[in-house]
Short mmCIF file of all heavy atoms in Angstrom, two decimals:
data_model
loop_
_atom_site.label_atom_id
_atom_site.label_comp_id
_atom_site.label_asym_id
_atom_site.label_seq_id
_atom_site.Cartn_x
_atom_site.Cartn_y
_atom_site.Cartn_z
N GLN P 3 281.69 54.60 313.71
CA GLN P 3 283.07 54.26 313.46
C GLN P 3 284.02 55.26 314.10
O GLN P 3 285.12 54.91 314.51
CB GLN P 3 283.32 54.22 311.94
CG GLN P 3 282.49 53.17 311.23
CD GLN P 3 282.88 51.77 311.62
OE1 GLN P 3 284.01 51.50 311.97
NE2 GLN P 3 281.92 50.87 311.58
N PHE P 11 277.62 53.98 327.96
CA PHE P 11 277.11 54.15 329.30
C PHE P 11 277.17 52.78 329.97
O PHE P 11 276.32 51.92 329.72
CB PHE P 11 275.65 54.62 329.28
CG PHE P 11 275.52 56.06 329.00
CD1 PHE P 11 275.82 56.56 327.75
CD2 PHE P 11 275.10 56.92 329.99
CE1 PHE P 11 275.69 57.89 327.49
CE2 PHE P 11 274.96 58.26 329.72
CZ PHE P 11 275.25 58.75 328.47
N ILE P 15 276.93 50.63 339.15
CA ILE P 15 276.45 50.80 340.51
C ILE P 15 275.30 51.78 340.52
O ILE P 15 275.37 52.83 339.91
CB ILE P 15 277.57 51.32 341.43
CG1 ILE P 15 278.76 50.37 341.39
CG2 ILE P 15 277.07 51.51 342.85
CD1 ILE P 15 279.97 50.89 342.14
N LYS P 67 269.05 52.77 335.61
CA LYS P 67 270.05 51.75 335.88
C LYS P 67 269.75 50.49 335.08
O LYS P 67 268.69 50.31 334.51
CB LYS P 67 270.07 51.43 337.37
CG LYS P 67 268.75 50.88 337.91
CD LYS P 67 268.85 50.64 339.40
CE LYS P 67 267.52 50.14 339.96
NZ LYS P 67 267.61 49.90 341.42
N PRO P 75 278.56 62.42 321.22
CA PRO P 75 278.70 63.58 322.09
C PRO P 75 277.44 64.45 322.05
O PRO P 75 276.90 64.71 320.98
CB PRO P 75 279.91 64.32 321.51
CG PRO P 75 280.71 63.24 320.87
CD PRO P 75 279.70 62.28 320.30
N SER P 95 278.11 56.98 332.41
CA SER P 95 277.86 57.73 331.19
C SER P 95 279.11 58.52 330.84
O SER P 95 280.08 58.49 331.56
CB SER P 95 276.69 58.68 331.39
OG SER P 95 276.93 59.54 332.47
N TRP P 122 294.74 58.47 325.21
CA TRP P 122 296.07 58.67 325.79
C TRP P 122 297.15 58.06 324.89
O TRP P 122 298.24 58.62 324.76
CB TRP P 122 296.14 58.04 327.18
CG TRP P 122 295.06 58.46 328.11
CD1 TRP P 122 294.34 59.62 328.08
CD2 TRP P 122 294.54 57.71 329.21
NE1 TRP P 122 293.41 59.65 329.09
CE2 TRP P 122 293.52 58.48 329.80
CE3 TRP P 122 294.85 56.47 329.77
CZ2 TRP P 122 292.80 58.05 330.91
CZ3 TRP P 122 294.15 56.04 330.88
CH2 TRP P 122 293.13 56.82 331.45
N ASN P 129 303.04 59.91 322.64
CA ASN P 129 303.46 59.40 321.34
C ASN P 129 303.58 60.56 320.37
O ASN P 129 302.59 61.07 319.87
CB ASN P 129 302.44 58.38 320.84
CG ASN P 129 302.85 57.71 319.56
OD1 ASN P 129 303.79 58.14 318.89
ND2 ASN P 129 302.13 56.66 319.19
N LEU P 150 274.58 76.16 340.01
CA LEU P 150 274.77 74.76 339.65
C LEU P 150 275.18 73.95 340.88
O LEU P 150 276.03 74.38 341.66
CB LEU P 150 275.85 74.66 338.57
CG LEU P 150 276.43 73.29 338.23
CD1 LEU P 150 275.36 72.41 337.58
CD2 LEU P 150 277.64 73.46 337.30
N MET P 155 278.92 62.15 342.60
CA MET P 155 279.20 61.58 341.29
C MET P 155 280.62 61.04 341.23
O MET P 155 281.51 61.50 341.95
CB MET P 155 279.01 62.63 340.20
CG MET P 155 277.55 62.98 339.94
SD MET P 155 276.60 61.59 339.27
CE MET P 155 277.44 61.33 337.71
N PRO P 161 289.31 61.17 328.55
CA PRO P 161 290.34 61.37 327.52
C PRO P 161 291.26 62.55 327.84
O PRO P 161 292.46 62.51 327.57
CB PRO P 161 289.53 61.63 326.25
CG PRO P 161 288.24 60.92 326.50
CD PRO P 161 287.97 61.11 327.97
N SER P 197 285.02 81.86 335.82
CA SER P 197 283.89 81.54 336.69
C SER P 197 284.09 82.18 338.06
O SER P 197 285.22 82.50 338.46
CB SER P 197 283.73 80.03 336.84
OG SER P 197 283.44 79.42 335.59
N SER P 208 292.46 61.70 341.82
CA SER P 208 293.75 61.17 341.41
C SER P 208 293.77 61.14 339.89
O SER P 208 292.83 60.63 339.26
CB SER P 208 293.98 59.76 341.98
OG SER P 208 292.96 58.87 341.59
N ASN P 222 286.57 84.44 343.78
CA ASN P 222 285.76 83.87 344.86
C ASN P 222 285.62 82.35 344.72
O ASN P 222 284.52 81.81 344.56
CB ASN P 222 284.38 84.54 344.91
CG ASN P 222 284.46 86.04 345.10
OD1 ASN P 222 285.33 86.54 345.81
ND2 ASN P 222 283.59 86.77 344.43
N ILE P 253 290.98 83.56 346.09
CA ILE P 253 291.04 82.10 345.97
C ILE P 253 291.48 81.53 347.31
O ILE P 253 292.52 81.93 347.85
CB ILE P 253 292.04 81.66 344.88
CG1 ILE P 253 291.83 82.45 343.57
CG2 ILE P 253 291.96 80.16 344.66
CD1 ILE P 253 290.53 82.22 342.90
N ASN P 257 292.66 72.69 353.79
CA ASN P 257 292.37 71.31 354.20
C ASN P 257 292.49 70.33 353.03
O ASN P 257 291.58 69.58 352.71
CB ASN P 257 290.97 71.22 354.82
CG ASN P 257 290.85 72.08 356.07
OD1 ASN P 257 291.51 71.85 357.07
ND2 ASN P 257 290.03 73.12 355.98
N ASN P 265 303.48 68.40 342.39
CA ASN P 265 303.44 69.74 342.97
C ASN P 265 302.40 69.73 344.08
O ASN P 265 301.53 68.84 344.11
CB ASN P 265 303.06 70.81 341.93
CG ASN P 265 304.04 70.91 340.79
OD1 ASN P 265 305.10 71.50 340.91
ND2 ASN P 265 303.69 70.31 339.66
N SER P 285 295.98 77.16 353.06
CA SER P 285 296.13 76.91 354.49
C SER P 285 295.72 75.49 354.86
O SER P 285 294.94 74.84 354.16
CB SER P 285 295.28 77.90 355.30
OG SER P 285 293.90 77.69 355.11
N LEU P 287 297.32 72.58 354.89
CA LEU P 287 297.66 71.60 353.86
C LEU P 287 298.53 70.51 354.47
O LEU P 287 299.37 70.78 355.34
CB LEU P 287 298.42 72.26 352.70
CG LEU P 287 297.81 73.55 352.12
CD1 LEU P 287 298.70 74.10 351.02
CD2 LEU P 287 296.39 73.30 351.61
N HIS P 317 301.42 90.22 337.92
CA HIS P 317 301.76 90.65 339.28
C HIS P 317 301.02 89.77 340.29
O HIS P 317 299.78 89.76 340.33
CB HIS P 317 301.39 92.11 339.49
CG HIS P 317 301.77 92.62 340.85
ND1 HIS P 317 301.13 93.68 341.47
CD2 HIS P 317 302.73 92.20 341.74
CE1 HIS P 317 301.68 93.90 342.65
NE2 HIS P 317 302.64 93.01 342.84
N GLY P 328 304.26 68.40 356.50
CA GLY P 328 304.43 67.18 355.74
C GLY P 328 305.84 66.97 355.27
O GLY P 328 306.80 67.51 355.82
N ILE P 366 315.22 72.98 351.67
CA ILE P 366 315.54 74.39 351.71
C ILE P 366 314.42 75.19 351.07
O ILE P 366 313.51 74.62 350.44
CB ILE P 366 316.88 74.70 350.99
CG1 ILE P 366 316.77 74.35 349.49
CG2 ILE P 366 318.04 73.94 351.64
CD1 ILE P 366 317.97 74.78 348.67
N ALA P 372 310.92 87.71 345.17
CA ALA P 372 309.75 87.53 346.04
C ALA P 372 309.91 88.40 347.29
O ALA P 372 310.93 88.33 347.97
CB ALA P 372 309.59 86.07 346.43
N LYS P 383 313.57 77.35 356.88
CA LYS P 383 313.49 78.79 357.12
C LYS P 383 313.26 79.50 355.82
O LYS P 383 313.90 79.22 354.81
CB LYS P 383 314.76 79.28 357.79
CG LYS P 383 314.70 80.74 358.20
CD LYS P 383 315.96 81.16 358.92
CE LYS P 383 315.89 82.63 359.32
NZ LYS P 383 317.12 83.06 360.03
N CYS P 384 312.31 80.43 355.82
CA CYS P 384 311.96 81.10 354.56
C CYS P 384 313.10 82.01 354.12
O CYS P 384 313.88 82.52 354.92
CB CYS P 384 310.66 81.89 354.71
SG CYS P 384 309.94 82.31 353.12
#
Side-chain angles (χ1 to χ4, degrees):
Q3 299 293 331
F11 281 70
I15 303 173
K67 61 182 177 180
S95 57
W122 308 334
N129 185 348
L150 167 67
M155 287 295 296
S197 297
S208 58
N222 302 324
I253 312 295
N257 299 296
N265 299 281
S285 68
L287 311 178
H317 183 205
I366 63 173
K383 185 177 180 180
C384 197

